[in-house]
Amino acid sequence: DIQMTQSPSSLSASVGDRVTITCRASQSISTYLNWYQLKPGRAPKLLIYVASTLQSGVPSRFSGGGSGTHFTLTISSLQPEDFATYYCQQSHTMPVTFGGGTRVDI
Amino acid sequence: VQLTQSGAEVRRPGASVKVSCKVSGYSLAELAIHWVRQAPGKGLDWMGAFDPEDGERIYAQKFQGRVTMTEDTSTDTAYMELSSLGSEDTAVYFCATGGGTIYMDVWGAGTAVIVS
């Protein structure tokens, strides 16, 4: 199985900060990398798919990049509603695998 | 597309549970349905998926032999059954669909399963 490693596992930031989360794959996955936001008691929300395509309705302060084995999710100016846990997920090879998550706290 | 999941369940260890996921606004026959769970304090754990393009069901290794995913296209309802439950199976179970097997942009609200 392809292992997905996120870093950091948690971070503290302030409203207005620029935040970058990294996701590394154990082997090349081209751009088959998606990012999700998860809040307590809610279903996951797709933010970015195929590495850099912004899902409809997601604010433009979210952006994704990378290819191969190294990927990033950037929030350009953190907003109060962005405090959540973020997961990367590869869909290059079955089984689908998720990263361990990055919790973004105030 | 909307996904409506069945309600919370409580099971004894060793029992089985079957969670349903009703599709509306689209035909189940044309959708890849994934099942993902999140145990308390843990991350997202992909359990498996059905891909209608090739008719193949793919299960994560850790659930092989315990999980069965089925689809009833007459009622547009997908099911996930997990057997031999243990306390470690206490989790919220989600069904999801969207971009085939590439990404999941529509999620059910989740079904809490408590094993106790």
Side-chain angles (χ1 to χ4, degrees):
Chain A
D1 297 0
I2 297 177
Q3 306 302 313
M4 306 301 294
T5 303
Q6 284 182 239
S7 61
S9 56
S10 67
L11 65 90
S12 294
S14 300
V15 172
D17 283 354
R18 181 182 181 88
V19 168
T20 297
I21 298 167
T22 297
C23 179
R24 290 185 185 273
S26 60
Q27 64 189 72
S28 178
I29 57 170
S30 183
T31 56
Y32 289 93
L33 189 285
N34 309 311
W35 290 97
Y36 298 86
Q37 177 192 66
L38 187 58
K39 295 182 178 179
R42 308 268 289 271
K45 176 184 178 181
L46 176 69
L47 300 175
I48 304 279
Y49 60 98
V50 293
S52 60
T53 302
L54 192 67
Q55 169 68 353
S56 176
V58 174
S60 59
R61 62 181 179 273
F62 290 92
S63 64
S67 66
T69 62
H70 183 233
F71 302 87
T72 58
L73 172 70
T74 298
I75 309 171
S76 61
S77 177
L78 202 64
Q79 297 302 301
E81 60 268 30
D82 301 336
F83 292 96
T85 303
Y86 295 85
Y87 292 88
C88 62
Q89 171 241 323
Q90 69 82 19
S91 56
H92 178 273
T93 304
M94 287 292 184
V96 163
T97 44
F98 286 93
T102 296
R103 179 173 171 170
V104 177
D105 287 329
I106 299 173
Chain B
V1 180
Q2 285 190 311
L3 304 178
T4 303
Q5 295 188 228
S6 47
E9 304 272 13
V10 179
R11 292 286 184 273
R12 297 290 192 191
S16 298
V17 69
K18 192 170 186 177
V19 178
S20 68
C21 175
K22 167 103 175 124
V23 175
S24 56
Y26 216 81
S27 172
L28 175 60
E30 299 178 58
L31 295 173
I33 298 291
H34 299 257
W35 291 89
V36 177
R37 77 178 187 182
Q38 184 183 29
K42 303 290 186 180
L44 298 175
D45 201 1
W46 183 81
M47 301 180 68
F50 171 71
D51 184 357
E53 289 200 5
D54 56 18
E56 191 174 349
R57 289 182 185 82
I58 304 163
Y59 300 138
Q61 180 82 16
K62 68 184 288 186
F63 299 106
Q64 286 276 6
R66 285 209 301 141
V67 69
T68 304
M69 294 174 188
T70 54
E71 301 77 30
D72 182 345
T73 53
S74 69
T75 61
D76 284 324
T77 304
Y79 298 92
M80 186 284 299
E81 184 169 21
L82 190 62
S83 61
S84 301
L85 293 169
S87 58
E88 67 280 5
D89 294 314
T90 292
V92 176
Y93 290 77
F94 295 98
C95 59
T97 189
T101 56
I102 305 301
Y103 58 85
M104 298 167 258
D105 67 339
V106 178
W107 293 70
T111 296
V113 174
I114 298 170
V115 182
S116 177

mmCIF file of all heavy atoms in Angstrom, chain B residues 27-58:
data_model
loop_
_atom_site.group_PDB
_atom_site.id
_atom_site.type_symbol
_atom_site.label_atom_id
_atom_site.label_comp_id
_atom_site.label_asym_id
_atom_site.label_seq_id
_atom_site.Cartn_x
_atom_site.Cartn_y
_atom_site.Cartn_z
ATOM 1 N N SER B 27 -28.229 8.057 -10.292
ATOM 2 C CA SER B 27 -28.407 6.611 -10.271
ATOM 3 C C SER B 27 -27.208 5.933 -9.623
ATOM 4 O O SER B 27 -26.055 6.170 -10.014
ATOM 5 C CB SER B 27 -28.568 6.093 -11.701
ATOM 6 O OG SER B 27 -28.555 4.686 -11.716
ATOM 7 N N LEU B 28 -27.471 5.091 -8.628
ATOM 8 C CA LEU B 28 -26.393 4.382 -7.950
ATOM 9 C C LEU B 28 -25.543 3.585 -8.932
ATOM 10 O O LEU B 28 -24.337 3.453 -8.754
ATOM 11 C CB LEU B 28 -26.980 3.459 -6.883
ATOM 12 C CG LEU B 28 -26.012 2.538 -6.138
ATOM 13 C CD1 LEU B 28 -24.951 3.332 -5.387
ATOM 14 C CD2 LEU B 28 -26.764 1.612 -5.193
ATOM 15 N N ALA B 29 -26.185 3.085 -9.980
ATOM 16 C CA ALA B 29 -25.478 2.244 -10.941
ATOM 17 C C ALA B 29 -24.326 2.975 -11.633
ATOM 18 O O ALA B 29 -23.436 2.336 -12.188
ATOM 19 C CB ALA B 29 -26.459 1.719 -11.985
ATOM 20 N N GLU B 30 -24.349 4.301 -11.593
ATOM 21 C CA GLU B 30 -23.314 5.078 -12.270
ATOM 22 C C GLU B 30 -22.298 5.673 -11.304
ATOM 23 O O GLU B 30 -21.417 6.438 -11.724
ATOM 24 C CB GLU B 30 -23.972 6.201 -13.069
ATOM 25 C CG GLU B 30 -24.918 5.693 -14.147
ATOM 26 C CD GLU B 30 -25.598 6.834 -14.896
ATOM 27 O OE1 GLU B 30 -24.875 7.666 -15.466
ATOM 28 O OE2 GLU B 30 -26.833 6.886 -14.887
ATOM 29 N N LEU B 31 -22.406 5.344 -10.026
ATOM 30 C CA LEU B 31 -21.546 5.969 -9.020
ATOM 31 C C LEU B 31 -20.588 4.974 -8.387
ATOM 32 O O LEU B 31 -20.961 3.837 -8.089
ATOM 33 C CB LEU B 31 -22.391 6.596 -7.908
ATOM 34 C CG LEU B 31 -23.298 7.761 -8.290
ATOM 35 C CD1 LEU B 31 -24.176 8.136 -7.105
ATOM 36 C CD2 LEU B 31 -22.484 8.951 -8.752
ATOM 37 N N ALA B 32 -19.363 5.434 -8.158
ATOM 38 C CA ALA B 32 -18.433 4.679 -7.317
ATOM 39 C C ALA B 32 -18.711 5.083 -5.873
ATOM 40 O O ALA B 32 -18.674 6.278 -5.550
ATOM 41 C CB ALA B 32 -16.990 5.001 -7.692
ATOM 42 N N ILE B 33 -19.015 4.129 -5.018
ATOM 43 C CA ILE B 33 -19.311 4.405 -3.615
ATOM 44 C C ILE B 33 -18.142 3.927 -2.753
ATOM 45 O O ILE B 33 -17.748 2.767 -2.813
ATOM 46 C CB ILE B 33 -20.605 3.709 -3.165
ATOM 47 C CG1 ILE B 33 -21.808 4.228 -3.957
ATOM 48 C CG2 ILE B 33 -20.824 3.902 -1.661
ATOM 49 C CD1 ILE B 33 -22.209 5.647 -3.657
ATOM 50 N N HIS B 34 -17.621 4.854 -1.963
ATOM 51 C CA HIS B 34 -16.552 4.539 -1.020
ATOM 52 C C HIS B 34 -17.138 4.473 0.389
ATOM 53 O O HIS B 34 -18.115 5.143 0.703
ATOM 54 C CB HIS B 34 -15.483 5.639 -1.010
ATOM 55 C CG HIS B 34 -14.798 5.870 -2.310
ATOM 56 N ND1 HIS B 34 -13.520 5.406 -2.570
ATOM 57 C CD2 HIS B 34 -15.208 6.522 -3.425
ATOM 58 C CE1 HIS B 34 -13.160 5.780 -3.785
ATOM 59 N NE2 HIS B 34 -14.165 6.451 -4.334
ATOM 60 N N TRP B 35 -16.461 3.715 1.241
ATOM 61 C CA TRP B 35 -16.779 3.693 2.667
ATOM 62 C C TRP B 35 -15.517 4.051 3.440
ATOM 63 O O TRP B 35 -14.444 3.483 3.215
ATOM 64 C CB TRP B 35 -17.319 2.336 3.087
ATOM 65 C CG TRP B 35 -18.683 2.050 2.518
ATOM 66 C CD1 TRP B 35 -18.967 1.455 1.334
ATOM 67 C CD2 TRP B 35 -19.943 2.375 3.113
ATOM 68 N NE1 TRP B 35 -20.329 1.400 1.135
ATOM 69 C CE2 TRP B 35 -20.954 1.950 2.230
ATOM 70 C CE3 TRP B 35 -20.333 2.984 4.326
ATOM 71 C CZ2 TRP B 35 -22.314 2.107 2.493
ATOM 72 C CZ3 TRP B 35 -21.685 3.143 4.595
ATOM 73 C CH2 TRP B 35 -22.658 2.708 3.692
ATOM 74 N N VAL B 36 -15.681 5.016 4.342
ATOM 75 C CA VAL B 36 -14.568 5.541 5.132
ATOM 76 C C VAL B 36 -15.036 5.614 6.580
ATOM 77 O O VAL B 36 -16.198 5.958 6.831
ATOM 78 C CB VAL B 36 -14.170 6.961 4.644
ATOM 79 C CG1 VAL B 36 -13.063 7.552 5.520
ATOM 80 C CG2 VAL B 36 -13.741 6.927 3.180
ATOM 81 N N ARG B 37 -14.160 5.310 7.522
ATOM 82 C CA ARG B 37 -14.572 5.435 8.911
ATOM 83 C C ARG B 37 -13.592 6.307 9.686
ATOM 84 O O ARG B 37 -12.440 6.490 9.291
ATOM 85 C CB ARG B 37 -14.718 4.066 9.580
ATOM 86 C CG ARG B 37 -13.417 3.404 9.973
ATOM 87 C CD ARG B 37 -13.680 2.081 10.679
ATOM 88 N NE ARG B 37 -12.461 1.503 11.223
ATOM 89 C CZ ARG B 37 -12.423 0.322 11.849
ATOM 90 N NH1 ARG B 37 -13.528 -0.412 11.988
ATOM 91 N NH2 ARG B 37 -11.270 -0.129 12.334
ATOM 92 N N GLN B 38 -14.088 6.842 10.817
ATOM 93 C CA GLN B 38 -13.233 7.598 11.718
ATOM 94 C C GLN B 38 -13.540 7.164 13.144
ATOM 95 O O GLN B 38 -14.645 7.394 13.644
ATOM 96 C CB GLN B 38 -13.430 9.104 11.578
ATOM 97 C CG GLN B 38 -12.460 9.887 12.450
ATOM 98 C CD GLN B 38 -12.650 11.369 12.420
ATOM 99 O OE1 GLN B 38 -13.760 11.860 12.217
ATOM 100 N NE2 GLN B 38 -11.554 12.114 12.641
ATOM 101 N N ALA B 39 -12.590 6.509 13.770
ATOM 102 C CA ALA B 39 -12.727 6.113 15.158
ATOM 103 C C ALA B 39 -12.471 7.328 16.047
ATOM 104 O O ALA B 39 -11.813 8.277 15.621
ATOM 105 C CB ALA B 39 -11.738 4.993 15.480
ATOM 106 N N PRO B 40 -12.980 7.322 17.267
ATOM 107 C CA PRO B 40 -12.791 8.468 18.169
ATOM 108 C C PRO B 40 -11.317 8.811 18.334
ATOM 109 O O PRO B 40 -10.498 7.955 18.665
ATOM 110 C CB PRO B 40 -13.400 7.973 19.481
ATOM 111 C CG PRO B 40 -14.402 6.956 19.074
ATOM 112 C CD PRO B 40 -13.826 6.281 17.866
ATOM 113 N N GLY B 41 -10.989 10.073 18.074
ATOM 114 C CA GLY B 41 -9.620 10.542 18.244
ATOM 115 C C GLY B 41 -8.645 10.063 17.191
ATOM 116 O O GLY B 41 -7.438 10.300 17.307
ATOM 117 N N LYS B 42 -9.140 9.388 16.162
ATOM 118 C CA LYS B 42 -8.272 8.844 15.106
ATOM 119 C C LYS B 42 -8.533 9.535 13.771
ATOM 120 O O LYS B 42 -9.431 10.366 13.644
ATOM 121 C CB LYS B 42 -8.535 7.334 14.959
ATOM 122 C CG LYS B 42 -8.335 6.528 16.226
ATOM 123 C CD LYS B 42 -6.883 6.443 16.620
ATOM 124 C CE LYS B 42 -6.690 5.499 17.806
ATOM 125 N NZ LYS B 42 -5.268 5.416 18.206
ATOM 126 N N GLY B 43 -7.746 9.158 12.777
ATOM 127 C CA GLY B 43 -7.872 9.745 11.458
ATOM 128 C C GLY B 43 -8.868 9.009 10.577
ATOM 129 O O GLY B 43 -9.580 8.108 11.020
ATOM 130 N N LEU B 44 -8.894 9.411 9.316
ATOM 131 C CA LEU B 44 -9.785 8.783 8.343
ATOM 132 C C LEU B 44 -9.187 7.471 7.869
ATOM 133 O O LEU B 44 -7.993 7.386 7.563
ATOM 134 C CB LEU B 44 -10.013 9.724 7.162
ATOM 135 C CG LEU B 44 -10.690 11.051 7.497
ATOM 136 C CD1 LEU B 44 -10.738 11.947 6.269
ATOM 137 C CD2 LEU B 44 -12.091 10.812 8.045
ATOM 138 N N ASP B 45 -10.041 6.462 7.767
ATOM 139 C CA ASP B 45 -9.609 5.109 7.438
ATOM 140 C C ASP B 45 -10.480 4.604 6.290
ATOM 141 O O ASP B 45 -11.678 4.377 6.470
ATOM 142 C CB ASP B 45 -9.793 4.232 8.684
ATOM 143 C CG ASP B 45 -8.941 2.978 8.672
ATOM 144 O OD1 ASP B 45 -8.173 2.770 7.705
ATOM 145 O OD2 ASP B 45 -9.052 2.183 9.630
ATOM 146 N N TRP B 46 -9.887 4.455 5.107
ATOM 147 C CA TRP B 46 -10.645 3.989 3.947
ATOM 148 C C TRP B 46 -10.884 2.497 4.057
ATOM 149 O O TRP B 46 -9.943 1.727 4.288
ATOM 150 C CB TRP B 46 -9.870 4.312 2.676
ATOM 151 C CG TRP B 46 -10.545 3.963 1.386
ATOM 152 C CD1 TRP B 46 -11.494 4.696 0.739
ATOM 153 C CD2 TRP B 46 -10.306 2.813 0.571
ATOM 154 N NE1 TRP B 46 -11.858 4.070 -0.429
ATOM 155 C CE2 TRP B 46 -11.143 2.921 -0.565
ATOM 156 C CE3 TRP B 46 -9.471 1.703 0.675
ATOM 157 C CZ2 TRP B 46 -11.166 1.957 -1.585
ATOM 158 C CZ3 TRP B 46 -9.483 0.744 -0.333
ATOM 159 C CH2 TRP B 46 -10.335 0.875 -1.442
ATOM 160 N N MET B 47 -12.145 2.075 3.886
ATOM 161 C CA MET B 47 -12.492 0.666 4.049
ATOM 162 C C MET B 47 -12.600 -0.066 2.721
ATOM 163 O O MET B 47 -12.271 -1.259 2.635
ATOM 164 C CB MET B 47 -13.818 0.542 4.798
ATOM 165 C CG MET B 47 -13.813 1.186 6.169
ATOM 166 S SD MET B 47 -15.394 1.016 6.987
ATOM 167 C CE MET B 47 -15.446 -0.758 7.280
ATOM 168 N N GLY B 48 -13.085 0.619 1.700
ATOM 169 C CA GLY B 48 -13.249 -0.029 0.419
ATOM 170 C C GLY B 48 -14.157 0.783 -0.484
ATOM 171 O O GLY B 48 -14.674 1.832 -0.096
ATOM 172 N N ALA B 49 -14.346 0.251 -1.684
ATOM 173 C CA ALA B 49 -15.175 0.961 -2.656
ATOM 174 C C ALA B 49 -15.691 0.000 -3.708
ATOM 175 O O ALA B 49 -15.114 -1.075 -3.937
ATOM 176 C CB ALA B 49 -14.386 2.074 -3.326
ATOM 177 N N PHE B 50 -16.785 0.422 -4.341
ATOM 178 C CA PHE B 50 -17.324 -0.292 -5.495
ATOM 179 C C PHE B 50 -17.191 0.615 -6.701
ATOM 180 O O PHE B 50 -17.613 1.773 -6.664
ATOM 181 C CB PHE B 50 -18.787 -0.661 -5.280
ATOM 182 C CG PHE B 50 -19.445 -1.211 -6.526
ATOM 183 C CD1 PHE B 50 -19.098 -2.482 -6.986
ATOM 184 C CD2 PHE B 50 -20.370 -0.483 -7.239
ATOM 185 C CE1 PHE B 50 -19.679 -3.000 -8.135
ATOM 186 C CE2 PHE B 50 -20.956 -0.987 -8.388
ATOM 187 C CZ PHE B 50 -20.609 -2.250 -8.833
ATOM 188 N N ASP B 51 -16.571 0.114 -7.765
ATOM 189 C CA ASP B 51 -16.392 0.878 -8.983
ATOM 190 C C ASP B 51 -17.318 0.317 -10.053
ATOM 191 O O ASP B 51 -17.076 -0.786 -10.537
ATOM 192 C CB ASP B 51 -14.934 0.782 -9.440
ATOM 193 C CG ASP B 51 -14.660 1.647 -10.662
ATOM 194 O OD1 ASP B 51 -15.611 2.273 -11.181
ATOM 195 O OD2 ASP B 51 -13.500 1.694 -11.103
ATOM 196 N N PRO B 52 -18.361 1.059 -10.440
ATOM 197 C CA PRO B 52 -19.315 0.521 -11.415
ATOM 198 C C PRO B 52 -18.726 0.390 -12.819
ATOM 199 O O PRO B 52 -19.260 -0.352 -13.639
ATOM 200 C CB PRO B 52 -20.453 1.543 -11.390
ATOM 201 C CG PRO B 52 -19.801 2.819 -10.987
ATOM 202 C CD PRO B 52 -18.724 2.414 -10.013
ATOM 203 N N GLU B 53 -17.617 1.092 -13.071
ATOM 204 C CA GLU B 53 -17.037 1.035 -14.419
ATOM 205 C C GLU B 53 -16.533 -0.364 -14.743
ATOM 206 O O GLU B 53 -16.622 -0.813 -15.886
ATOM 207 C CB GLU B 53 -15.931 2.071 -14.556
ATOM 208 C CG GLU B 53 -16.451 3.497 -14.603
ATOM 209 C CD GLU B 53 -15.443 4.460 -15.199
ATOM 210 O OE1 GLU B 53 -14.361 4.005 -15.664
ATOM 211 O OE2 GLU B 53 -15.725 5.654 -15.199
ATOM 212 N N ASP B 54 -15.988 -1.035 -13.732
ATOM 213 C CA ASP B 54 -15.507 -2.388 -13.990
ATOM 214 C C ASP B 54 -16.196 -3.430 -13.111
ATOM 215 O O ASP B 54 -15.857 -4.617 -13.166
ATOM 216 C CB ASP B 54 -13.992 -2.485 -13.810
ATOM 217 C CG ASP B 54 -13.537 -2.025 -12.437
ATOM 218 O OD1 ASP B 54 -14.382 -1.960 -11.522
ATOM 219 O OD2 ASP B 54 -12.342 -1.744 -12.277
ATOM 220 N N GLY B 55 -17.172 -2.956 -12.329
ATOM 221 C CA GLY B 55 -17.922 -3.888 -11.484
ATOM 222 C C GLY B 55 -17.116 -4.491 -10.364
ATOM 223 O O GLY B 55 -17.499 -5.490 -9.764
ATOM 224 N N GLU B 56 -15.987 -3.865 -10.035
ATOM 225 C CA GLU B 56 -15.095 -4.445 -9.039
ATOM 226 C C GLU B 56 -15.289 -3.798 -7.667
ATOM 227 O O GLU B 56 -15.444 -2.583 -7.542
ATOM 228 C CB GLU B 56 -13.637 -4.250 -9.482
ATOM 229 C CG GLU B 56 -12.638 -5.035 -8.677
ATOM 230 C CD GLU B 56 -11.236 -4.922 -9.258
ATOM 231 O OE1 GLU B 56 -11.094 -4.413 -10.384
ATOM 232 O OE2 GLU B 56 -10.284 -5.340 -8.577
ATOM 233 N N ARG B 57 -15.284 -4.663 -6.647
ATOM 234 C CA ARG B 57 -15.264 -4.192 -5.268
ATOM 235 C C ARG B 57 -13.849 -4.362 -4.746
ATOM 236 O O ARG B 57 -13.245 -5.419 -4.914
ATOM 237 C CB ARG B 57 -16.238 -4.977 -4.392
ATOM 238 C CG ARG B 57 -17.691 -4.683 -4.688
ATOM 239 C CD ARG B 57 -18.620 -5.439 -3.766
ATOM 240 N NE ARG B 57 -20.001 -5.224 -4.157
ATOM 241 C CZ ARG B 57 -20.624 -5.880 -5.120
ATOM 242 N NH1 ARG B 57 -19.967 -6.821 -5.776
ATOM 243 N NH2 ARG B 57 -21.883 -5.620 -5.426
ATOM 244 N N ILE B 58 -13.335 -3.307 -4.132
ATOM 245 C CA ILE B 58 -11.977 -3.348 -3.587
ATOM 246 C C ILE B 58 -12.066 -3.045 -2.103
ATOM 247 O O ILE B 58 -12.635 -2.029 -1.709
ATOM 248 C CB ILE B 58 -11.073 -2.309 -4.286
ATOM 249 C CG1 ILE B 58 -11.075 -2.542 -5.788
ATOM 250 C CG2 ILE B 58 -9.652 -2.395 -3.738
ATOM 251 C CD1 ILE B 58 -10.570 -1.376 -6.586
#
